[in-house]
Amino acid sequence: MQDLDPERIRSLLTTRAYGRSLDVRESTASTNDDAREAARAGAARGHVVVADAQSRGRGAHGRVWSSPSGTDLYLSIVERVTLSPERVAPLTLAVGLGVADAVRALAPALEPRVKWPNDVWIGRRKTAGVLVEASSIGARMDAIVIGVGLGVNRLAWHEELASSATSVLHASRELDAVCAELDRASALATLLGAIEAWVDRFVAEGPAPVVRALEERLALRGERVRCDDVEGVLVGVESSGALRLETSSGPRSMISGTLRPL
């Protein structure tokens, strides 16, 4: 917990908004729930809740996000950008690109990729998950909460995750690229800067730059995959954030689902 000192984190920030209001907790149930409560209480755009550990961390589709103390980053950001509900999907992908940029900055030997719709992979293993939760008022979105779990220094996982999960340190050691643990305060500052840059770009320019960046950084692109009950070759991502598959019966767009390689 010492490496998540709030004052040190603030001194390392390069952001305009993200992390300038900061709530660092030793433990919590869910940083997304905490950030939502803070948003309802009037927290400014960029307010960040970060915890050393979570007892009820969650990922997409309500899945449990393993959140032990001392190794990784679990954080949620209050974002107050005004978006229509249909624009939230590309925002998730923009956040994923920010996470991938941060991983590359922390360990230049690695080649992280965005795995649609809300994960970041190193090789074929998951190192980060993104959970964007939004509520609406009428036809417009209220505050958006951007949750991120990033494997930083973890070297061991429960048996059911051992073959599918990794961390920046673990993947780097497999390449003999890094031996020392990463400083989580520095990693957090890098992560917030990279996410803010991509969210700002998405808001200013729309989904086009996100889609272009994903052309080269999309996990499983060009491979045969299954998304729920649909099989095909993963072609890319549409401006809506939908997945494009080429199937035996022609092109298909998938707006949600669980993507797996075949």
Coordinates of all heavy atoms in Angstrom, one line a residue, residues 38-39 136 140 147 157 167 195 202 238-239:
A38 N -19.6 8.7 -5.7 CA -19.0 10.0 -5.7 C -19.6 10.9 -6.8 O -19.7 12.1 -6.6 CB -17.5 9.8 -6.0
A39 N -19.9 10.3 -8.0 CA -20.5 11.1 -9.1 C -21.8 11.6 -8.7 O -22.2 12.8 -8.9 CB -20.6 10.2 -10.3
S136 N -28.5 6.9 -17.7 CA -29.0 7.9 -18.6 C -30.1 8.7 -17.9 O -30.8 8.3 -17.0 CB -29.6 7.3 -19.8 OG -30.6 6.4 -19.5
R140 N -30.1 11.3 -22.8 CA -28.6 11.6 -22.7 C -28.1 10.9 -21.5 O -28.8 10.4 -20.6 CB -28.4 13.1 -22.5 CG -28.8 13.7 -21.1 CD -28.4 15.1 -21.0 NE -28.9 15.7 -19.7 CZ -28.2 15.5 -18.6 NH1 -27.0 14.9 -18.6 NH2 -28.6 16.0 -17.4
G147 N -14.2 1.8 -15.3 CA -13.4 0.9 -14.4 C -12.3 0.2 -15.1 O -12.6 -0.3 -16.2
W157 N -1.8 -17.0 -10.0 CA -3.2 -16.9 -10.1 C -3.8 -18.2 -9.6 O -3.2 -19.2 -9.6 CB -3.7 -16.6 -11.5 CG -3.3 -15.2 -12.0 CD1 -4.1 -14.1 -12.0 CD2 -2.0 -14.8 -12.5 NE1 -3.4 -13.0 -12.5 CE2 -2.2 -13.4 -12.9 CE3 -0.8 -15.5 -12.8 CZ2 -1.1 -12.7 -13.4 CZ3 0.2 -14.7 -13.3 CH2 0.1 -13.4 -13.6
S167 N 0.3 -10.5 -16.2 CA 0.6 -9.2 -15.7 C 1.7 -8.6 -16.5 O 2.4 -9.3 -17.2 CB 0.9 -9.1 -14.2 OG 2.2 -9.7 -14.0
I195 N -5.2 6.8 -20.8 CA -6.6 6.7 -21.0 C -7.2 8.1 -21.3 O -8.1 8.2 -22.2 CB -7.3 6.1 -19.7 CG1 -6.8 4.6 -19.5 CG2 -8.8 6.2 -19.8 CD1 -7.3 4.0 -18.2
F202 N -11.3 10.7 -28.6 CA -12.6 10.1 -29.0 C -13.7 11.2 -28.9 O -14.5 11.3 -29.8 CB -13.0 8.9 -28.1 CG -14.4 8.4 -28.2 CD1 -14.8 7.8 -29.4 CD2 -15.3 8.7 -27.2 CE1 -16.1 7.4 -29.5 CE2 -16.6 8.3 -27.4 CZ -17.0 7.6 -28.5
E238 N -16.5 -1.8 -36.4 CA -17.2 -0.7 -37.0 C -17.2 0.5 -36.1 O -16.8 0.5 -35.0 CB -18.6 -1.2 -37.3 CG -18.7 -2.4 -38.2 CD -20.2 -2.9 -38.4 OE1 -21.1 -2.3 -37.7 OE2 -20.4 -3.8 -39.2
S239 N -17.6 1.7 -36.7 CA -17.5 2.9 -36.0 C -18.5 2.9 -34.8 O -18.3 3.7 -33.9 CB -17.9 4.1 -36.9 OG -19.2 3.9 -37.5

